[in-house]
Amino acid sequence: MNLLDEDFSNNKENKTKNIIKIIIIFIVLILIVIVGIVAYMMYLQGTVLRVYVNNMENAEVKNLLVFEEDGTIYVPVRAMSSYLGYNSYNGEYSNRSEDNSKCYVECEQEVANLTLNSNKVYKLNLEENDNNYTYIYMDKPVKAINGELYITTDGMQKVFNTTFVYNQENNRIMITTTPYLTTSYATTILDYGYTKLSETFENEKAAIKNMLVVTDDKYYGVINATDGTEILECKYDDIRYQESTGDFIVCSNEKYGIIGTDKKTKVAISYDSIELMDYDAGLYLVSRNNRYGVIDLNGNNIIYAENDRIGVDISRFEENDLKTGYILVNSLIPVMRNNKWGLFDTKGNQLVDFEYDSFGYIASSNREATNLLVIPDYNVIVACLNERYTLLNTSGEQPIRAFVDDIYMIISGGEKQYLMTANDKTYDVEEYLDRLGVLQSTTNNNTNATQSNTTSSEQTNNQVNNETTTENTEQNNEGQQSNGEEQNNGETQNGEEQQGNE
């Protein structure tokens, strides 16, 4: 080979090597780019919000969430319902309507009612036989977005009995329903030495708070869902979780008491029954030997357990939209003793003696009247004595100082009207109370002052008030009536006259 050929061969080899190097570099660059793209894609995927419902990713639920600037997350009540095993409707459960400022959600065991601008959720346990609601509070009120009702994630947990965990580090939201929780824990508790979970719906809801009500087939206890440590020993005949307070009503030897999650006894295990009457008032209904009373959350007696009954049956007054029969117009507790009814307030003060036959008006079948227990805008209730009716306010007094033939409600076109009849004449109760100056927050003194200055009110009152008075009712429970002069000596009209009459 001559020098020229050798030089040409070397140049060709060098070019080939350079091309190979370029190709290798190009391939490496492509690989780097690909790795970078993959890494970036993985990064993007890691930063994209993912929502899981019962451990399954759910893009539809993710699209329902609304993130506020302050970090609050809102969810639409009705749109969320189906994903969490609930049905949803406009209006109220006890007052069906198409009012879109209210809605309720329903599962097999429970109903929850919500109202625009309110953070109070009324719940009705469908497994119980009574019609009394309990209630809990959300962190923020219901709000409207584009005409739909929305609640915060705290509200969602309380309304739908779910957990909601937002891990901002990996941008993951985990939503878990009560049925899924109880199913997943059903086998776990076997490792802790227990037979099964309590099947009571109220007890199942304790799982949301990381607590499990368990049984060994004989006794009940409460354990921590994470590690199985005991919260309440497994030694009770029955346990009922109280969602509103977070405490447990426990039963031992057919006696009931209340124990907190800190294992401290709040109410001694000494009653035949215990039921939460009202969370805000902090009152429980208790019984001993078929006698009923009221205690507070610390076990102090508010009304001694010596009564035949406490509370009225509100199932007879469905159109009154009542949530409980234990406390009427926010402060009156109806109590029956020796077949007569009286009234206490939530502090335990007796406002009305045991003198009335019943509370509420039951309409006869031959008229369009509807049963009536309360007139809410005026905070008065209907009381019956000797088949005649009057009204009582939150002080236990009679604003109209009379007994009439009927006090009832009629509903026309969805509108409610309250009427009373006396001497074959019919009066609009609200108009009558307005003329007396009776308002929601008006004191009895203001009522008297307004009445004394209202001639038309006096004339109407004379027409209505010609049969009975509060005072002659106290003196004569046989139904005898006094004249109009005696009526004007009623205890709500003039304290000095009342003292003189006594």
Side-chain angles (χ1 to χ4, degrees):
M1 180 180 296
N2 57 36
L3 293 176
L4 182 61
D5 291 337
E6 184 178 354
D7 186 56
F8 178 78
S9 178
N10 289 336
N11 288 337
K12 185 177 180 180
E13 184 178 349
N14 289 335
K15 286 181 180 180
T16 301
K17 289 181 179 179
N18 290 335
I19 291 172
I20 292 172
K21 287 180 181 179
I22 292 171
I23 291 173
I24 292 173
I25 292 172
F26 182 73
I27 291 173
V28 170
L29 290 175
I30 290 176
L31 290 175
I32 291 174
V33 171
I34 291 173
V35 170
I37 291 173
V38 170
Y40 183 68
M41 293 294 292
M42 293 178 64
Y43 169 77
L44 288 179
Q45 287 184 341
T47 58
V48 171
L49 175 66
R50 294 182 180 273
V51 176
Y52 296 82
V53 178
N54 293 335
N55 279 337
M56 294 186 65
E57 187 172 0
N58 194 312
E60 290 85 359
V61 170
K62 182 183 77 170
N63 293 332
L64 295 177
L65 305 181
V66 174
F67 290 78
E68 301 272 289
E69 291 184 359
D70 63 359
T72 304
I73 304 174
Y74 280 88
V75 301
V77 179
R78 297 204 57 187
M80 182 66 73
S81 298
S82 59
Y83 295 105
L84 302 178
Y86 282 72
N87 297 317
S88 65
Y89 309 90
N90 284 336
E92 286 186 290
Y93 180 73
S94 58
N95 185 23
R96 309 285 172 95
S97 72
E98 292 302 316
D99 183 357
N100 59 9
S101 69
K102 299 178 180 180
C103 73
Y104 66 93
V105 299
E106 179 182 11
C107 65
E108 184 178 349
Q109 301 90 351
E110 184 179 73
V111 170
N113 290 273
L114 300 105
T115 302
L116 180 64
N117 298 325
S118 173
N119 67 335
K120 196 172 187 177
V121 181
Y122 282 99
K123 288 191 168 189
L124 180 65
N125 187 338
L126 300 178
E127 294 182 336
E128 302 290 340
N129 294 324
D130 61 28
N131 293 280
N132 293 301
Y133 284 76
T134 59
Y135 56 85
I136 54 177
Y137 289 99
M138 303 179 290
D139 60 342
K140 293 185 178 181
V142 179
K143 68 182 298 185
I145 301 177
N146 297 325
E148 298 291 333
L149 298 184
Y150 278 69
I151 54 178
T152 64
T153 55
D154 173 77
M156 188 191 80
Q157 294 178 86
K158 293 172 179 176
V159 170
F160 295 107
N161 304 308
T162 67
T163 63
F164 185 99
V165 179
Y166 182 20
N167 188 324
Q168 292 180 310
E169 185 175 342
N170 60 18
N171 215 15
R172 297 292 184 269
I173 290 176
M174 306 295 294
I175 300 171
T176 311
T177 63
T178 297
Y180 185 86
L181 280 174
T182 54
T183 299
S184 62
Y185 286 132
T187 55
T188 303
I189 63 168
L190 299 177
D191 298 335
Y192 299 143
Y194 303 100
T195 305
K196 61 180 181 179
L197 293 170
S198 168
E199 296 177 352
T200 303
F201 181 65
E202 292 297 322
N203 287 342
E204 289 180 348
K205 290 194 289 185
I208 300 169
K209 299 297 183 181
N210 206 40
M211 298 181 293
L212 303 176
V213 181
V214 296
T215 176
D216 60 4
D217 277 339
K218 184 178 181 181
Y219 296 112
Y220 288 85
V222 182
I223 64 172
N224 185 294
T226 303
D227 55 18
T229 56
E230 285 186 336
I231 297 174
L232 299 183
E233 292 184 63
C234 193
K235 63 180 181 181
Y236 299 99
D237 300 326
D238 191 19
I239 290 179
R240 285 180 288 154
Y241 175 62
Q242 302 293 289
E243 182 183 11
S244 298
T245 64
D247 298 325
F248 293 92
I249 293 178
V250 300
C251 175
S252 182
N253 296 321
E254 299 184 350
K255 296 295 181 181
Y256 291 87
I258 301 175
I259 300 179
T261 55
D262 56 2
K263 300 187 178 183
K264 293 182 179 179
T265 299
K266 294 188 174 182
V267 176
I269 307 174
S270 61
Y271 292 98
D272 297 338
S273 67
I274 296 180
E275 180 183 350
L276 182 65
M277 287 176 56
D278 188 90
Y279 173 66
D280 286 340
L283 300 179
Y284 282 92
L285 173 67
V286 296
S287 70
R288 279 186 180 141
N289 301 318
N290 292 321
R291 295 290 184 223
Y292 294 87
V294 178
I295 62 174
D296 64 19
L297 294 177
N298 296 315
N300 301 312
N301 283 306
I302 302 300
I303 300 174
Y304 284 97
E306 54 189 15
N307 306 288
D308 301 330
R309 181 174 176 176
I310 291 179
V312 297
D313 179 9
I314 59 172
S315 66
R316 308 177 76 185
F317 306 97
E318 292 183 354
E319 300 297 337
N320 272 206
D321 306 333
L322 299 173
K323 295 296 189 294
T324 177
Y326 294 135
I327 301 179
L328 304 179
V329 292
N330 301 318
S331 63
L332 298 178
I333 302 177
V335 180
M336 185 176 74
R337 188 184 301 173
N338 298 324
N339 293 321
K340 290 291 184 179
W341 288 88
L343 289 174
F344 288 73
D345 65 18
T346 54
K347 302 299 183 182
N349 302 307
Q350 185 167 3
L351 305 178
V352 174
D353 199 5
F354 298 101
E355 59 184 280
Y356 291 97
D357 297 328
S358 64
F359 291 125
Y361 175 84
I362 305 299
S364 61
S365 59
N366 60 352
R367 62 185 304 167
E368 296 180 354
T370 299
N371 295 355
L372 178 64
L373 179 57
V374 303
I375 302 178
D377 290 344
Y378 296 84
N379 282 343
V380 292
I381 71 172
V382 179
C384 176
L385 178 63
N386 299 321
E387 299 183 356
R388 294 175 66 79
Y389 300 89
T390 190
L391 297 175
L392 300 175
N393 62 21
T394 53
S395 298
E397 299 164 331
Q398 293 175 265
I400 64 173
R401 307 181 324 283
F403 282 83
V404 298
D405 299 323
D406 307 284
I407 303 179
Y408 57 95
M409 174 171 58
I410 60 173
I411 302 176
S412 178
E415 296 294 325
K416 296 178 180 178
Q417 185 179 14
Y418 305 97
L419 303 174
M420 61 183 179
T421 59
N423 303 319
D424 297 324
K425 293 185 178 180
T426 300
Y427 304 87
D428 186 297
V429 176
E430 290 181 303
E431 290 181 0
Y432 183 78
L433 292 175
D434 285 340
R435 281 186 285 177
L436 290 178
V438 179
L439 301 174
Q440 282 183 301
S441 59
T442 303
T443 64
N444 193 52
N445 289 335
N446 290 336
T447 300
N448 289 336
T450 305
Q451 180 186 1
S452 63
N453 292 323
T454 309
T455 303
S456 62
S457 172
E458 291 175 349
Q459 293 172 344
T460 304
N461 200 36
N462 287 334
Q463 290 177 331
V464 175
N465 191 16
N466 66 351
E467 295 290 338
T468 14
T469 66
T470 300
E471 185 166 352
N472 72 32
T473 298
E474 295 174 351
Q475 296 172 348
N476 189 348
N477 286 332
E478 299 298 324
Q480 297 178 355
Q481 312 297 328
S482 61
N483 58 33
E485 293 294 327
E486 292 173 326
Q487 292 167 353
N488 290 330
N489 290 328
E491 62 180 3
T492 61
Q493 174 69 17
N494 189 305
E496 294 180 356
E497 291 180 7
Q498 181 187 25
Q499 294 176 0
N501 290 331
E502 291 175 350

